[in-house]
Amino acid sequence: MRNLKAILPEILVAGPLNIFEKVLAFNSRTEALEKMVQIRLGLSSGTVFEGIPLKKDVEGNTLLFGTNGNLGYVNIGSLISVEIMNPDLSLSLLTDGAFFEVPVSEIPTGLQLKRNVKAIADAMQTDLGVVLDLETVLAKPLTDKEKYQLKPFLGALATVLGQIAADPLGKEAISSYKSVVLETHDGPLKVDRKEGAIVVIIDLNQKLPVALEQNLKEKIETIV
């Protein structure tokens, strides 16, 4: 396994059954068998089963395992431990999505980043009449994760502001602000307002949430 100390703060701590459920959900979304998470289950009887959890019955009592080409069934009612056999394949799962790897070939250069930001900022000012302020974010060197996620985040932000401004009341609410300020911090997504600005605070070193646009829209509409 890679440097455990580096990712230890992000690793999820939960009961065996909770971890097992996450592994099962992960495997159900994974098509290639070699990329599925393999586990070792310990039961209160002292019995140990090792394999790839594939599915369970409606009652959730029986686990179907794939082990060395064989299938096995286990009653998980007496589950007391779960050991992840190939944790490198499941770091996203084990950190609740906090850990993710950035494709090196997709990290924008400094110039590409400036072009991406300018294109989105120009569009926001033209379409919505607000200035995108990234002064605080760009005042320090960005990590590879921040560089990789800045463009999709700004794209989502512009989309959400456009959706809110699609009707007269929404347009009036957005146009009452002169700027949208982006700041970063170590924590969950926050939206605030101050001195004629909508302030959006995000941790770009954490994987962007799947429901990012929905979360942004709810938070922005709450404060405008």
Side-chain angles (χ1 to χ4, degrees):
M1 186 175 179
R2 67 190 67 221
N3 187 347
L4 178 61
K5 186 176 180 180
I7 62 172
L8 189 59
E10 298 174 346
I11 291 182
L12 176 68
V13 177
L17 186 58
N18 186 307
I19 296 296
F20 163 72
E21 293 287 356
K22 289 182 178 293
V23 170
L24 193 59
F26 179 91
N27 284 350
S28 69
R29 299 190 301 266
T30 306
E31 295 184 3
L33 196 64
E34 64 272 15
K35 292 185 178 180
M36 292 185 181
V37 177
Q38 183 174 343
I39 63 176
R40 181 179 292 137
L41 292 184
L43 306 182
S44 58
S45 64
T47 306
V48 175
F49 287 91
E50 183 178 322
I52 300 171
L54 301 172
K55 63 186 298 186
K56 61 182 180 180
D57 65 8
V58 177
E59 289 77 22
N61 294 321
T62 305
L63 170 66
L64 175 62
F65 261 82
T67 55
N68 298 321
N70 301 322
L71 294 177
Y73 296 83
V74 182
N75 186 311
I76 60 170
S78 58
L79 177 65
I80 60 171
S81 68
V82 175
E83 181 180 353
I84 309 294
M85 307 302 294
N86 49 352
D88 278 346
L89 291 180
S90 53
L91 286 175
S92 175
L93 175 155
L94 295 175
T95 59
D96 255 359
F99 178 88
F100 68 104
E101 292 184 295
V102 177
V104 177
S105 61
E106 296 182 28
I107 299 172
T109 64
L111 183 56
Q112 287 174 326
L113 197 63
K114 290 179 182 179
R115 287 171 174 159
N116 294 339
V117 169
K118 185 178 186 304
I120 295 172
D122 288 350
M124 286 177 62
Q125 187 159 19
T126 300
D127 299 339
L128 303 169
V130 295
V131 174
L132 179 61
D133 182 350
L134 300 181
E135 183 177 352
T136 302
V137 174
L138 300 179
K140 61 180 179 61
L142 300 181
T143 65
D144 286 346
K145 289 182 178 180
E146 289 175 320
K147 292 177 184 176
Y148 178 70
Q149 297 202 112
L150 183 58
K151 180 183 177 181
F153 177 78
L154 293 178
L157 178 60
T159 296
V160 166
L161 291 173
Q163 291 173 348
I164 295 173
D167 63 79
L169 284 177
K171 188 171 184 178
E172 181 182 352
I174 295 300
S175 62
S176 66
Y177 293 89
K178 295 180 179 180
S179 63
V180 176
V181 179
L182 181 64
E183 298 179 358
T184 58
H185 74 153
D186 297 330
L189 173 67
K190 293 173 60 178
V191 176
D192 203 351
R193 59 183 175 185
K194 62 180 180 182
E195 300 175 359
I198 297 171
V199 182
V200 181
I201 310 170
I202 183 74
D203 186 353
L204 290 173
N205 282 306
Q206 299 294 314
K207 188 175 182 180
L208 296 178
V210 175
L212 174 61
E213 290 188 8
Q214 179 183 340
N215 292 345
L216 274 172
K217 188 173 183 181
E218 290 175 355
K219 292 180 183 298
I220 292 174
E221 288 192 340
T222 298
I223 63 104
V224 298

